[in-house]
Amino acid sequence: MPTDLSPVDDELARALTDERERQRETLSLVASENYASEAVLAAQGSVLTNKYAEGTPGARYYAGCEHADEVEELAADRARDLFGADHVNVQPHSGTQANLAAFLALLDAGDSVLSLDLTSGGHLSHGFEHSLVGRHYDVDHYGVDPETGRLDYDAIEAQARDVEPDLLVSGYSAYPRQVDWEQMQAIADSVGAYHVADIGHLTGLVAAGVHPSPVGVADVVTCSTHKSIRSGRGGMVMCDEEYADAIDRAVMPGCQGGPLMHSVAGKAAGFYEALQPGFDEYARRVLDNAAVLADHLRKRGFDLVSGGTDVHFALVDFRESHPDLTGATAEDVLADVGLVCNKQTVPGEPRSPTVGSGLRIGTPAVTTRGFGEDATRRLAEVVADLLDAPDDAGVRENARDVVTDLCREFPLYEDGARVVDP
Ligand SMILES: *Cc1c(COP(=O)(O)O)cnc(C)c1O
């Protein structure tokens, strides 16, 4: 791979080789990360990066798009198969761009949006004040119930009646429970609002049928394509035929120029893998492993937001059990032994978002490496030991050994070894 660069660009080659080694020798517990297969990497690193293909298959603004058309149609057809959507646009450069396109298609400048607040697990692209969405729309936020950590649909409905939003957003970055898409659609309908469901994190779980799908329920469904679905990096919008033209125009020229056709190829490669029978089993194991992790942490005395998980991560809340520990410190302590995850705010967060009182620990990536319940239990044990005694040198040393063993037992990007074995 990166060795191809070394004769011409040593500096960059070294950085890429180092990054490959970092990924091989650490474990990603970042809930939004995954390890792409060699096929996805090859597609994303392909000559399609050279091609301009503004427009849609068969209706481009450039000549020479016949193979770009094939690739985009493969990606879109496979996405339709996976999610059962009427219409798919696979061109958004990212999940954030997919959301921008959805808002642009459905709203006028100054219209109002109701979405989950950041500290409760919402995403920046749903109306953070310094984002385009926050700047150009009138954004209000709902929260989660501070006691249960769960969405309170009655409270959201009451707030929606009060705010009368033009658009209601569901789908989150750090909400550990299933979302009732029908309820959210009913709330949107009751106030005449559009409903955008953002399954950024949940793509693989929804595609495999282990989490309910908002496709066919919400007006528009948006997502990233590199998280639990493990395809090429980027975003995607799905909708009924009635919104198809508006969405396509909102993606281009609304908020993008030429699509990243190499990323579209990466999406096609990843969606192919997600259509193979092994993928559903993978998604089930992601959930099983998250449940094992959550159970274990709870038994070791950690509080979890909402008390557990229905999804691919556990969200630890340190406030009561470990009041001196912050999310930022926990992130550093784990990173020091090769466990890469991210600090998180918790509902009712007293600390700044750059510090946080929580930690989000996800299983999509380690499950791709082959983790089952035993390995996850060993991992959970080490995480709990470290968080209980962040300054104990012996604990750290043991943790490093366990991480090294697990990386060796579940190798990544070994010569000849495939990450994904469909
Ligand atoms: C990750 C995420 C996004 C943004 O995706 P990017 O591809 O990073 O822009 C949007 N919405 C939700 C809910 C996410 O979790």
Side-chain angles (χ1 to χ4, degrees):
M1 282 195 326
T3 47
D4 295 344
L5 279 167
S6 42
V8 282
D9 187 346
D10 241 0
E11 272 178 300
L12 182 61
R14 201 166 321 117
L16 291 179
T17 306
D18 289 350
E19 170 60 11
R20 182 168 177 268
E21 285 313 295
R22 186 194 68 80
Q23 293 188 17
R24 285 159 50 96
E25 289 164 11
T26 59
L27 296 171
S28 174
L29 304 172
V30 178
S32 50
E33 289 186 1
N34 215 325
Y35 302 112
S37 72
E38 309 277 6
V40 169
L41 295 182
Q44 282 203 135
S46 69
V47 291
L48 269 172
T49 193
N50 300 334
K51 190 69 202 99
Y52 252 105
E54 276 169 306
T56 51
R60 305 285 191 184
Y61 292 89
Y62 294 83
C65 288
E66 53 275 24
H67 305 301
D69 282 2
E70 280 177 66
V71 166
E72 183 165 344
E73 270 163 2
L74 282 174
D77 284 348
R78 290 170 181 173
R80 269 191 295 270
D81 275 1
L82 281 170
F83 294 97
D86 277 357
H87 180 73
V88 172
N89 188 310
V90 293
Q91 292 186 4
H93 301 337
S94 69
T96 295
Q97 293 287 116
N99 282 333
L100 262 185
F103 295 145
L104 197 59
L106 300 174
L107 298 175
D108 293 317
D111 278 357
S112 58
V113 171
L114 182 60
S115 61
L116 184 67
D117 75 89
L118 263 184
T119 53
S120 302
H123 190 262
L124 287 166
S125 63
H126 298 172
F128 178 58
E129 58 180 326
H130 301 300
S131 75
L132 262 180
V133 172
R135 295 282 294 271
H136 289 268
Y137 303 104
D138 177 16
V139 181
D140 279 287
H141 291 305
Y142 53 93
V144 294
D145 182 311
E147 289 301 310
T148 64
R150 293 180 187 242
L151 295 170
D152 176 345
Y153 295 96
D154 292 336
I156 298 170
E157 184 174 11
Q159 194 177 354
R161 267 202 301 270
D162 188 38
V163 169
E164 296 188 329
D166 297 297
L167 191 150
L168 178 68
V169 185
S170 65
Y172 316 105
S173 292
Y175 183 66
R177 296 296 179 176
Q178 286 190 358
V179 183
D180 188 335
W181 311 115
E182 276 86 3
Q183 284 241 41
M184 293 302 281
Q185 184 62 42
I187 293 168
D189 287 341
S190 74
V191 296
Y194 292 112
H195 175 205
V196 172
D198 176 353
I199 56 169
H201 265 255
L202 301 172
T203 39
L205 309 179
V206 167
V210 302
H211 187 288
S213 173
V215 175
V217 178
D219 296 301
V220 173
V221 176
T222 57
C223 63
S224 303
T225 51
H226 47 271
K227 298 183 181 176
S228 56
I229 193 123
R230 215 167 49 183
S231 86
R233 195 170 193 97
M236 180 165 78
V237 183
M238 297 180 269
C239 61
D240 290 343
E241 218 39 69
E242 73 174 299
Y243 301 116
D245 287 344
I247 289 292
D248 289 351
R249 279 197 307 271
V251 173
M252 201 291 295
C255 59
Q256 290 188 178
L260 310 178
M261 288 311 299
H262 55 300
S263 279
V264 173
K267 292 170 197 179
F271 295 162
Y272 173 84
E273 288 164 1
L275 282 164
Q276 305 311 307
F279 189 80
D280 292 2
E281 177 57 24
Y282 161 72
R284 262 190 301 276
R285 284 175 66 175
V286 168
L287 293 190
D288 289 347
N289 287 342
V292 165
L293 180 73
D295 265 0
H296 202 86
L297 292 174
R298 218 173 25 219
K299 281 192 195 121
R300 290 283 305 262
F302 290 91
D303 294 326
L304 303 182
V305 172
S306 84
T309 181
D310 299 332
V311 294
H312 55 294
F313 62 84
L315 184 50
V316 187
D317 178 349
F318 297 126
R319 286 175 301 178
E320 297 240 329
S321 67
H322 297 67
D324 297 333
L325 193 58
T326 68
T329 306
E331 183 187 289
D332 287 347
V333 168
L334 296 195
D336 185 55
V337 303
L339 295 172
V340 182
C341 57
N342 70 294
K343 60 183 167 284
Q344 190 74 47
T345 53
V346 293
E349 178 63 61
R351 296 184 168 107
S352 101
T354 55
V355 179
S357 302
L359 195 68
R360 192 181 64 169
I361 310 178
T363 55
V366 289
T367 305
T368 292
R369 285 183 89 129
F371 271 44
E373 296 191 8
D374 280 350
T376 306
R377 232 172 265 120
R378 280 161 73 196
L379 172 74
E381 193 69 30
V382 160
V383 169
D385 289 347
L386 284 163
L387 296 179
D388 273 342
D391 300 319
D392 187 314
V395 165
R396 284 201 193 203
E397 201 181 310
N398 174 62
R400 270 193 211 101
D401 289 345
V402 173
V403 171
T404 304
D405 283 351
L406 287 169
C407 289
R408 211 166 289 153
E409 207 172 315
F410 300 96
L412 185 67
Y413 302 132
E414 286 234 308
D415 290 338
R418 293 173 57 90
V419 179
V420 182
D421 219 357

